[in-house]
Amino acid sequence: MKEWPEHGGNPLKIMKRYDMGEKKVMDFSANLNPLGPPPDLSLAAAFRTLDVYPDPDYRSEVQELADALLVEPDMIRLTNGGAEAIFLVAHLFAGKSALIIEPAFSEYARACEAYQIDVTRLNLKEDFGFPVQEVLTAIPQTDLLFLCRPNNPTGTIIPIDPLIQMLEEAEKSEVTVVVDEAFVHFLPLEEQNILPLMERFPNLIILRSLTKIYAVPGLRLGYIVAQPEQIKRVAGVQIPWSVNGVVASLLPDLLARTDYIHKTRRFVQEERERLVISLHELGFTVSPSVSNFYLLKDASAANSDPLFVYLVKNGIIPRHTHTFSGLEGTYIRLAVRKKEENDRLLEVLAAWKGQ
Ligand SMILES: Cc1ncc(COP(=O)(O)O)c(C=O)c1O
């Protein structure tokens, strides 16, 4: 049996697995902004920074970010994508213990393994609701709690009130809570800004990525927001110039694209709502996502592999869920794509149901 790719966004590997040759396909496996990267990014200007070492602390870029987020610059560290942010936080907790609520992004567990962190896992409820009471009970036994909001792969969120309850419990027990907000920009506005909670909860660390909202996985740009003493510790273990200067210099341009973010959010929210209505009409089970991707299964099938293969053979690449603890292939994950692509998906899914 050929191995499943660890992440989405690898359509070539999937096509090879099913001997699909070079056929043109639609990639629903990567959760990126369906509108693509913002137009006319200042790439030429960025490349003019090629011949100088970047400031190891990226002070001017961090200041711009701090102004945009309304936090102090000493609370921010730029990282090589959200992935590096996860590994840096894990580094700070080497040899300790962590709690992960599955299914969640697989890099939390990988980072814990890399830093000998002892992992305890709890599962989301059957309907993907968050197991607040179970987590509250488990918090005093851990050092670090990983939360993903909105959660990859379900697209669901922990409502603010239980999040605050968990932060309070964690503070009492001297536990650090990491909230990975890689997909935060896709959320309805009222669910977005938990940054003000940092004043009340010094045990909160927020991770962000520019990858998803700007559809720039090739750039590798993310950041950590934490208390200044934690940021100093992160800086102490981070590889020098980990974010390359060309990419760092693009940050101000990206931050200025607020209209693009609003446009994307409106588009994704409307398109997801439209899709979910049609998917329910077709008889599929869909996770109650508020983000730019969702889990789907045919309620009448025990396992989603036949549906996965059917979609691939019809030129649609979903994300398998064999590498998500607690899912093990029962669902597939699909990104909200452009309207024409989503229409094609609905057409193929209707054909699957009609077989
Ligand atoms: C929840 C979550 N966090 C972080 C990342 C990593 O993002 P980046 O590509 O910026 O490293 C991903 C990527 O899939 C993700 O799903």
Side-chain angles (χ1 to χ4, degrees):
M1 185 67 175
K2 291 174 204 157
E3 263 182 45
W4 291 100
E6 183 64 31
H7 292 290
N10 201 342
L12 284 178
K13 195 158 182 182
I14 296 290
M15 285 158 71
K16 218 166 151 199
R17 188 183 164 102
Y18 295 103
D19 299 323
M20 295 274 293
E22 305 268 294
K23 201 176 154 204
K24 200 168 172 325
V25 291
M26 293 178 181
D27 185 11
F28 281 73
S29 71
N31 296 332
L32 302 173
N33 185 336
L35 307 180
D40 311 319
L41 278 180
S42 44
L43 295 173
F47 272 94
R48 283 199 283 279
T49 63
L50 202 63
D51 58 353
V52 285
Y53 272 96
D55 171 359
D57 295 317
Y58 310 94
R59 271 167 295 195
S60 74
E61 291 85 2
V62 165
Q63 184 63 56
E64 298 235 13
L65 195 48
D67 293 343
L69 300 178
L70 305 176
V71 301
E72 293 301 322
D74 59 359
M75 294 177 73
I76 297 176
R77 188 76 188 170
L78 290 194
T79 60
N80 194 295
E84 192 197 19
I86 294 166
F87 275 69
L88 284 168
V89 169
H91 195 153
L92 300 190
F93 287 82
K96 301 211 165 155
S97 62
L99 182 59
I100 300 178
I101 321 304
E102 302 280 10
F105 187 45
S106 57
E107 294 300 328
Y108 309 142
R110 240 170 53 87
C112 287
E113 199 183 323
Y115 290 103
Q116 291 83 44
I117 295 172
D118 187 26
V119 172
T120 300
R121 293 183 151 94
L122 290 175
N123 285 318
L124 291 180
K125 296 180 184 167
E126 183 91 22
D127 62 357
F128 303 119
F130 195 84
V132 184
Q133 282 313 322
E134 268 185 81
V135 176
L136 286 172
T137 309
I139 282 175
Q141 277 95 52
T142 195
D143 297 304
L144 185 62
L145 167 62
F146 277 103
L147 299 176
C148 190
R149 188 177 189 273
N151 186 46
N152 177 10
T154 57
T156 50
I157 53 164
I158 307 161
I160 284 285
D161 289 345
L163 178 65
I164 291 176
Q165 252 182 307
M166 288 187 279
L167 283 163
E168 281 167 350
E169 183 61 40
E171 199 187 15
K172 265 195 268 162
S173 313
E174 294 182 25
V175 171
T176 298
V177 179
V178 179
V179 182
D180 180 351
E181 294 195 323
F183 297 97
V184 69
H185 300 97
F186 296 98
L187 286 180
L189 275 179
E190 67 277 11
E191 299 289 0
Q192 279 197 12
N193 199 2
I194 66 162
L195 282 165
L197 289 177
M198 301 211 56
E199 261 179 53
R200 208 168 130 196
F201 297 106
N203 57 332
L204 172 60
I205 296 181
I206 294 178
L207 312 184
R208 293 248 178 112
S209 161
L210 305 192
T211 302
K212 314 295 181 178
I213 188 65
Y214 296 114
V216 289
L219 286 186
R220 316 303 310 134
L221 196 50
Y223 57 93
I224 300 176
V225 190
Q227 296 305 319
E229 49 283 16
Q230 295 284 45
I231 293 295
K232 266 198 206 128
R233 292 182 63 213
V234 166
V237 297
Q238 189 178 26
I239 294 171
W241 309 290
S242 174
V243 177
N244 76 63
V246 174
V247 165
S249 70
L250 281 170
L251 186 64
D253 186 4
L254 288 169
L255 289 178
R257 308 290 179 130
T258 46
D259 287 351
Y260 197 68
I261 295 184
H262 295 318
K263 181 178 159 190
T264 301
R265 183 170 41 242
R266 270 197 310 275
F267 174 80
V268 166
Q269 295 288 338
E270 280 173 23
E271 198 55 14
R272 194 197 57 247
E273 281 165 24
R274 175 181 85 92
L275 270 167
V276 168
I277 292 172
S278 301
L279 293 169
H280 282 156
E281 279 169 8
L282 286 171
F284 287 98
T285 305
V286 183
S287 62
S289 167
V290 287
S291 193
N292 58 320
F293 52 89
Y294 53 91
L295 288 175
L296 174 138
K297 75 172 176 183
D298 185 341
S300 58
N303 160 315
S304 281
D305 287 350
L307 174 59
F308 184 95
V309 177
Y310 185 83
L311 288 171
V312 171
K313 298 273 175 193
N314 281 281
I316 286 176
I317 308 292
R319 166 69 158 95
H320 70 87
T321 58
H322 286 277
T323 47
F324 284 108
S325 174
L327 289 181
E328 284 90 23
T330 45
Y331 280 81
I332 56 173
R333 194 192 70 196
L334 294 162
V336 176
R337 301 292 310 157
K338 287 204 180 84
K339 189 172 179 315
E340 317 76 78
E341 294 170 293
N342 296 328
D343 284 344
R344 173 70 188 144
L345 170 73
L346 289 173
E347 208 178 279
V348 176
L349 286 172
W352 158 267
K353 279 287 188 184
Q355 293 181 106

